[in-house]
Amino acid sequence: MGEQTSPLGTAAIGDNLDYLRLLYEEQMFFDMIYIDPPYNTGNKFSYHDKREDWVDFISKRLKLAKAVLKDDGVIFISIDDSCLYELKVEADGIFSKSNFLGAFITMQAVRSNSRHINTVHEYIIGYAKDKKRLGGFKIRRVNNPDDAAMIKDISDKVRREFILFGRETAKKLLAKLNSDYMLKRGISWLRNYSEVDDEGEIFFPKDLSVPGAPNELIIQEIDLRLPMLKSRKWSTPKKFIKLFNEGRLSFKGNRPYEKHYLNEAADN
Protein backbone atom coordinates (compact mmCIF):
# COMPACT_ATOMS: atom_id res chain seq x y z
CA MET A 1 0.00 0.00 0.00
CA GLY A 2 2.98 2.33 -0.24
CA GLU A 3 5.50 3.83 2.19
CA GLN A 4 4.31 4.19 5.77
CA THR A 5 5.61 5.70 8.98
CA SER A 6 4.63 3.98 12.21
CA PRO A 7 4.00 5.69 15.57
CA LEU A 8 7.51 4.49 16.47
CA GLY A 9 9.00 6.37 13.52
CA THR A 10 9.99 3.39 11.34
CA ALA A 11 9.10 3.32 7.65
CA ALA A 12 8.36 0.41 5.35
CA ILE A 13 7.07 -0.50 1.92
CA GLY A 14 4.20 -2.94 2.07
CA ASP A 15 0.77 -3.70 3.40
CA ASN A 16 -0.74 -1.15 5.78
CA LEU A 17 -3.57 -3.26 7.23
CA ASP A 18 -1.70 -3.93 10.48
CA TYR A 19 -0.80 -0.26 10.74
CA LEU A 20 -4.45 0.78 10.37
CA ARG A 21 -5.39 -1.72 13.08
CA LEU A 22 -2.74 -0.22 15.34
CA LEU A 23 -4.09 3.28 14.78
CA TYR A 24 -7.56 2.07 15.69
CA GLU A 25 -6.33 0.24 18.80
CA GLU A 26 -4.45 3.38 19.89
CA GLN A 27 -7.61 5.44 19.22
CA MET A 28 -5.80 7.81 16.89
CA PHE A 29 -8.24 9.80 14.73
CA PHE A 30 -7.56 11.95 11.67
CA ASP A 31 -9.06 14.86 9.75
CA MET A 32 -8.04 13.42 6.40
CA ILE A 33 -6.80 10.11 5.03
CA TYR A 34 -5.30 9.55 1.58
CA ILE A 35 -5.00 5.99 0.27
CA ASP A 36 -3.06 4.95 -2.82
CA PRO A 37 -3.88 1.22 -3.02
CA PRO A 38 -2.75 -1.28 -5.65
CA TYR A 39 -4.90 -0.71 -8.75
CA ASN A 40 -5.14 -4.42 -9.62
CA THR A 41 -3.72 -3.79 -13.09
CA GLY A 42 -1.82 -7.07 -13.47
CA ASN A 43 1.51 -5.22 -13.76
CA LYS A 44 4.60 -5.95 -11.68
CA PHE A 45 6.05 -3.25 -9.45
CA SER A 46 7.66 -3.88 -6.05
CA TYR A 47 4.66 -6.20 -5.72
CA HIS A 48 2.52 -8.16 -8.17
CA ASP A 49 -0.49 -5.93 -8.86
CA LYS A 50 -3.11 -8.58 -9.45
CA ARG A 51 -5.30 -10.38 -6.93
CA GLU A 52 -8.59 -12.24 -7.16
CA ASP A 53 -9.70 -10.96 -3.73
CA TRP A 54 -9.11 -7.26 -4.54
CA VAL A 55 -12.60 -6.17 -3.43
CA ASP A 56 -12.20 -7.89 -0.06
CA PHE A 57 -8.65 -6.51 0.15
CA ILE A 58 -9.77 -2.89 -0.30
CA SER A 59 -12.92 -3.33 1.78
CA LYS A 60 -10.97 -4.27 4.92
CA ARG A 61 -8.79 -1.18 4.58
CA LEU A 62 -11.65 1.21 3.89
CA LYS A 63 -13.55 -0.03 6.95
CA LEU A 64 -10.55 0.56 9.18
CA ALA A 65 -9.84 3.90 7.55
CA LYS A 66 -13.41 4.99 8.29
CA ALA A 67 -12.99 3.87 11.90
CA VAL A 68 -9.99 6.19 12.42
CA LEU A 69 -11.55 9.20 10.68
CA LYS A 70 -12.94 12.01 12.81
CA ASP A 71 -16.68 12.61 12.47
CA ASP A 72 -15.99 15.59 10.18
CA GLY A 73 -13.12 13.84 8.41
CA VAL A 74 -12.62 12.99 4.74
CA ILE A 75 -10.89 10.25 2.79
CA PHE A 76 -9.40 10.38 -0.71
CA ILE A 77 -8.56 7.22 -2.66
CA SER A 78 -6.49 6.97 -5.82
CA ILE A 79 -7.49 4.52 -8.56
CA ASP A 80 -7.40 4.04 -12.32
CA ASP A 81 -9.85 2.45 -14.76
CA SER A 82 -8.89 -1.10 -13.70
CA CYS A 83 -11.08 -1.15 -10.57
CA LEU A 84 -12.73 2.27 -10.48
CA TYR A 85 -16.26 0.88 -10.50
CA GLU A 86 -15.54 -1.86 -8.00
CA LEU A 87 -14.00 0.72 -5.67
CA LYS A 88 -16.94 3.11 -6.05
CA VAL A 89 -19.50 0.40 -5.25
CA GLU A 90 -17.53 -0.79 -2.23
CA ALA A 91 -16.89 2.74 -0.91
CA ASP A 92 -20.57 3.63 -1.37
CA GLY A 93 -21.47 0.69 0.83
CA ILE A 94 -18.96 1.57 3.55
CA PHE A 95 -19.20 5.37 3.66
CA SER A 96 -22.72 5.66 2.18
CA LYS A 97 -23.44 7.03 -1.26
CA SER A 98 -24.83 10.16 0.41
CA ASN A 99 -21.32 10.94 1.70
CA PHE A 100 -19.67 10.80 -1.72
CA LEU A 101 -17.94 14.13 -2.39
CA GLY A 102 -16.87 13.70 -5.98
CA ALA A 103 -14.04 12.52 -8.22
CA PHE A 104 -10.91 14.34 -9.30
CA ILE A 105 -9.44 13.41 -12.68
CA THR A 106 -5.65 13.61 -12.69
CA MET A 107 -3.47 13.63 -15.81
CA GLN A 108 -0.69 11.05 -15.54
CA ALA A 109 0.92 11.13 -18.99
CA VAL A 110 0.78 12.68 -22.43
CA ARG A 111 0.11 9.36 -24.11
CA SER A 112 -0.47 5.78 -23.07
CA ASN A 113 0.44 2.41 -24.54
CA SER A 114 -3.16 1.29 -24.87
CA ARG A 115 -4.08 -0.39 -28.15
CA HIS A 116 -7.57 1.13 -28.20
CA ILE A 117 -8.12 4.21 -26.04
CA ASN A 118 -5.34 6.64 -25.16
CA THR A 119 -5.88 6.54 -21.39
CA VAL A 120 -3.66 9.12 -19.73
CA HIS A 121 -5.63 9.85 -16.58
CA GLU A 122 -6.38 8.38 -13.16
CA TYR A 123 -8.92 9.31 -10.48
CA ILE A 124 -9.08 10.33 -6.84
CA ILE A 125 -12.49 9.75 -5.29
CA GLY A 126 -13.49 11.44 -2.07
CA TYR A 127 -15.91 10.64 0.76
CA ALA A 128 -16.85 12.37 3.98
CA LYS A 129 -17.44 10.30 7.09
CA ASP A 130 -20.50 12.50 7.59
CA LYS A 131 -21.11 15.13 4.90
CA LYS A 132 -23.48 17.05 7.18
CA ARG A 133 -20.59 17.78 9.54
CA LEU A 134 -18.18 18.73 6.77
CA GLY A 135 -17.44 22.34 5.90
CA GLY A 136 -16.50 23.63 2.46
CA PHE A 137 -13.05 23.19 0.95
CA LYS A 138 -11.85 26.76 0.60
CA ILE A 139 -8.60 28.66 0.57
CA ARG A 140 -9.04 32.26 1.63
CA ARG A 141 -7.62 34.64 -0.95
CA VAL A 142 -6.07 36.79 1.78
CA ASN A 143 -3.59 33.91 2.27
CA ASN A 144 -2.20 34.72 -1.18
CA PRO A 145 0.11 37.77 -0.88
CA ASP A 146 -0.94 39.21 -4.26
CA ASP A 147 -4.65 38.83 -3.53
CA ALA A 148 -4.21 40.13 0.01
CA ALA A 149 -2.47 43.30 -1.20
CA MET A 150 -5.17 43.87 -3.84
CA ILE A 151 -8.03 43.31 -1.37
CA LYS A 152 -6.49 45.73 1.13
CA ASP A 153 -5.93 48.39 -1.50
CA ILE A 154 -9.51 48.20 -2.79
CA SER A 155 -11.04 47.99 0.69
CA ASP A 156 -9.07 50.94 2.09
CA LYS A 157 -9.85 53.21 -0.86
CA VAL A 158 -13.54 52.32 -0.97
CA ARG A 159 -13.97 52.73 2.80
CA ARG A 160 -12.30 56.16 2.64
CA GLU A 161 -14.60 57.16 -0.21
CA PHE A 162 -17.61 55.85 1.72
CA ILE A 163 -16.75 57.92 4.82
CA LEU A 164 -16.16 61.11 2.84
CA PHE A 165 -18.83 60.97 0.14
CA GLY A 166 -21.29 58.14 0.88
CA ARG A 167 -22.31 54.78 -0.55
CA GLU A 168 -23.09 55.65 -4.19
CA THR A 169 -19.76 57.41 -4.74
CA ALA A 170 -17.98 54.53 -3.03
CA LYS A 171 -19.71 52.03 -5.34
CA LYS A 172 -18.57 53.97 -8.42
CA LEU A 173 -14.98 53.90 -7.17
CA LEU A 174 -15.34 50.17 -6.40
CA ALA A 175 -16.47 49.46 -9.98
CA LYS A 176 -13.45 51.33 -11.37
CA LEU A 177 -10.94 49.66 -9.03
CA ASN A 178 -12.37 46.22 -9.77
CA SER A 179 -12.20 46.87 -13.51
CA ASP A 180 -8.59 48.08 -13.30
CA TYR A 181 -7.45 45.08 -11.26
CA MET A 182 -9.32 42.55 -13.41
CA LEU A 183 -7.64 43.97 -16.53
CA LYS A 184 -4.23 44.17 -14.87
CA ARG A 185 -4.26 40.69 -13.37
CA GLY A 186 -6.45 38.84 -15.85
CA ILE A 187 -8.99 37.74 -13.25
CA SER A 188 -12.80 37.71 -13.31
CA TRP A 189 -13.96 36.70 -9.80
CA LEU A 190 -13.56 40.24 -8.48
CA ARG A 191 -16.59 41.50 -10.42
CA ASN A 192 -18.89 39.63 -8.02
CA TYR A 193 -17.94 41.99 -5.18
CA SER A 194 -19.98 44.94 -6.36
CA GLU A 195 -21.85 46.19 -3.27
CA VAL A 196 -20.99 48.35 -0.26
CA ASP A 197 -22.84 47.91 3.05
CA ASP A 198 -23.74 50.40 5.79
CA GLU A 199 -20.26 50.11 7.31
CA GLY A 200 -18.42 50.69 4.03
CA GLU A 201 -17.52 46.99 3.67
CA ILE A 202 -17.44 45.46 0.18
CA PHE A 203 -19.54 42.35 -0.40
CA PHE A 204 -20.91 39.97 -3.00
CA PRO A 205 -24.72 39.59 -2.80
CA LYS A 206 -25.31 35.83 -3.10
CA ASP A 207 -28.73 34.61 -4.20
CA LEU A 208 -30.79 32.85 -1.54
CA SER A 209 -32.93 30.66 -3.78
CA VAL A 210 -32.19 26.96 -4.36
CA PRO A 211 -33.44 24.31 -6.80
CA GLY A 212 -36.87 22.95 -5.89
CA ALA A 213 -40.60 23.54 -6.02
CA PRO A 214 -41.45 27.27 -5.68
CA ASN A 215 -42.75 28.27 -2.26
CA GLU A 216 -43.90 31.30 -0.32
CA LEU A 217 -41.80 31.85 2.80
CA ILE A 218 -43.04 33.50 6.00
CA ILE A 219 -40.59 33.86 8.90
CA GLN A 220 -42.30 35.54 11.84
CA GLU A 221 -39.14 35.60 14.01
CA ILE A 222 -37.56 38.21 11.74
CA ASP A 223 -40.75 39.66 10.26
CA LEU A 224 -39.93 38.48 6.75
CA ARG A 225 -42.40 37.45 4.06
CA LEU A 226 -41.15 36.35 0.65
CA PRO A 227 -43.44 35.73 -2.34
CA MET A 228 -43.22 32.59 -4.44
CA LEU A 229 -40.53 32.60 -7.16
CA LYS A 230 -41.20 31.38 -10.69
CA SER A 231 -38.97 28.33 -10.83
CA ARG A 232 -36.98 27.98 -7.58
CA LYS A 233 -37.65 27.75 -3.86
CA TRP A 234 -36.23 29.81 -1.02
CA SER A 235 -33.47 28.67 1.32
CA THR A 236 -34.59 27.36 4.71
CA PRO A 237 -36.02 29.64 7.42
CA LYS A 238 -33.14 28.50 9.65
CA LYS A 239 -30.63 29.96 7.20
CA PHE A 240 -32.49 33.27 6.91
CA ILE A 241 -32.67 33.62 10.71
CA LYS A 242 -28.96 32.82 11.04
CA LEU A 243 -28.00 35.40 8.40
CA PHE A 244 -30.30 38.00 9.99
CA ASN A 245 -28.72 37.48 13.41
CA GLU A 246 -25.24 37.75 11.91
CA GLY A 247 -26.11 40.96 10.02
CA ARG A 248 -25.52 39.22 6.70
CA LEU A 249 -28.91 39.77 5.06
CA SER A 250 -28.96 42.33 2.27
CA PHE A 251 -31.91 43.48 0.17
CA LYS A 252 -31.89 44.65 -3.42
CA GLY A 253 -35.38 45.85 -4.23
CA ASN A 254 -37.52 43.45 -2.21
CA ARG A 255 -35.30 40.44 -2.75
CA PRO A 256 -32.93 39.18 -0.03
CA TYR A 257 -29.31 38.22 -0.59
CA GLU A 258 -26.52 36.83 1.56
CA LYS A 259 -23.50 39.07 2.13
CA HIS A 260 -20.15 37.50 1.21
CA TYR A 261 -17.47 40.00 2.17
CA LEU A 262 -14.43 40.70 0.01
CA ASN A 263 -12.03 40.24 2.93
CA GLU A 264 -13.42 36.71 3.35
CA ALA A 265 -13.22 35.81 -0.34
CA ALA A 266 -12.14 32.23 -0.98
CA ASP A 267 -10.97 30.18 -3.92
CA ASN A 268 -13.02 26.93 -3.87
Side-chain angles (χ1 to χ4, degrees):
M1 293 282 288
E3 185 171 317
Q4 305 146 41
T5 302
S6 80
L8 299 178
T10 58
I13 299 293
D15 197 332
N16 66 6
L17 187 60
D18 291 337
Y19 183 63
L20 283 167
R21 286 173 177 150
L22 176 61
L23 293 176
Y24 180 69
E25 289 170 2
E26 295 293 326
Q27 292 293 281
M28 299 176 68
F29 301 103
F30 301 89
D31 297 306
M32 188 193 80
I33 295 174
Y34 168 68
I35 294 181
D36 184 14
Y39 290 177
N40 212 32
T41 61
N43 297 323
K44 289 185 178 180
F45 303 107
S46 58
Y47 55 90
H48 184 59
D49 190 22
K50 186 65 178 177
R51 53 192 313 148
E52 297 299 326
D53 64 341
W54 188 89
V55 171
D56 181 62
F57 169 87
I58 197 65
S59 177
K60 290 178 180 176
R61 286 150 182 83
L62 293 183
K63 288 175 181 176
L64 278 169
K66 181 182 178 182
V68 297
L69 267 182
K70 293 181 180 178
D71 289 341
D72 60 349
V74 293
I75 183 169
F76 297 100
I77 313 152
S78 286
I79 198 67
D80 69 2
D81 288 325
S82 302
C83 282
L84 170 63
Y85 302 105
E86 291 89 339
L87 173 62
K88 180 66 169 61
V89 168
E90 200 63 22
D92 279 350
I94 293 169
F95 290 93
S96 173
K97 191 173 182 179
S98 64
N99 287 319
F100 177 60
L101 298 174
F104 298 93
I105 299 176
T106 62
M107 187 173 181
Q108 299 297 320
V110 176
R111 60 178 299 174
S112 72
N113 295 320
S114 173
R115 292 178 56 193
H116 304 105
I117 298 176
N118 189 31
T119 305
V120 298
H121 60 270
E122 294 179 4
Y123 311 90
I124 300 175
I125 65 172
Y127 286 83
K129 186 168 185 177
D130 183 352
K131 193 188 287 187
K132 293 178 181 177
R133 295 173 178 257
L134 184 66
F137 295 109
K138 298 178 180 179
I139 300 174
R140 292 187 62 181
R141 294 189 184 275
V142 291
N143 292 335
N144 178 310
D146 290 337
D147 284 345
M150 176 186 69
I151 289 171
K152 185 177 187 306
D153 181 53
I154 295 172
S155 298
D156 288 349
K157 289 176 178 175
V158 168
R159 188 177 298 108
R160 188 181 307 117
E161 197 79 0
F162 173 83
I163 293 170
L164 293 174
F165 304 107
R167 191 201 309 269
E168 292 308 313
T169 305
K171 285 179 64 175
K172 289 178 182 178
L173 176 60
L174 172 60
K176 182 180 184 307
L177 291 171
N178 282 355
S179 178
D180 290 346
Y181 268 111
M182 286 191 293
L183 182 63
K184 178 182 177 180
R185 296 188 57 193
I187 58 177
S188 60
W189 63 266
L190 197 56
R191 69 164 54 93
N192 294 324
Y193 295 86
S194 59
E195 295 293 330
V196 179
D197 73 3
D198 294 336
E199 303 297 325
E201 297 292 335
I202 300 164
F203 70 93
F204 158 42
K206 184 179 179 183
D207 185 53
L208 282 166
S209 66
V210 295
N215 64 316
E216 181 183 36
L217 191 62
I218 300 173
I219 309 175
Q220 294 179 348
E221 293 91 332
I222 58 175
D223 193 25
L224 182 64
R225 180 169 185 158
L226 300 174
M228 186 181 296
L229 299 169
K230 289 184 179 179
S231 59
R232 292 167 66 85
K233 71 177 183 179
W234 293 109
S235 295
T236 64
K238 183 178 179 180
K239 180 166 187 176
F240 276 99
I241 293 171
K242 182 175 184 292
L243 293 173
F244 176 84
N245 290 334
E246 293 174 349
R248 287 179 176 263
L249 264 186
S250 171
F251 288 84
K252 193 171 183 179
N254 293 319
R255 184 155 180 169
Y257 294 87
E258 178 181 355
K259 293 181 185 178
H260 278 240
Y261 288 106
L262 178 59
N263 59 14
E264 299 172 344
D267 183 11
N268 289 41

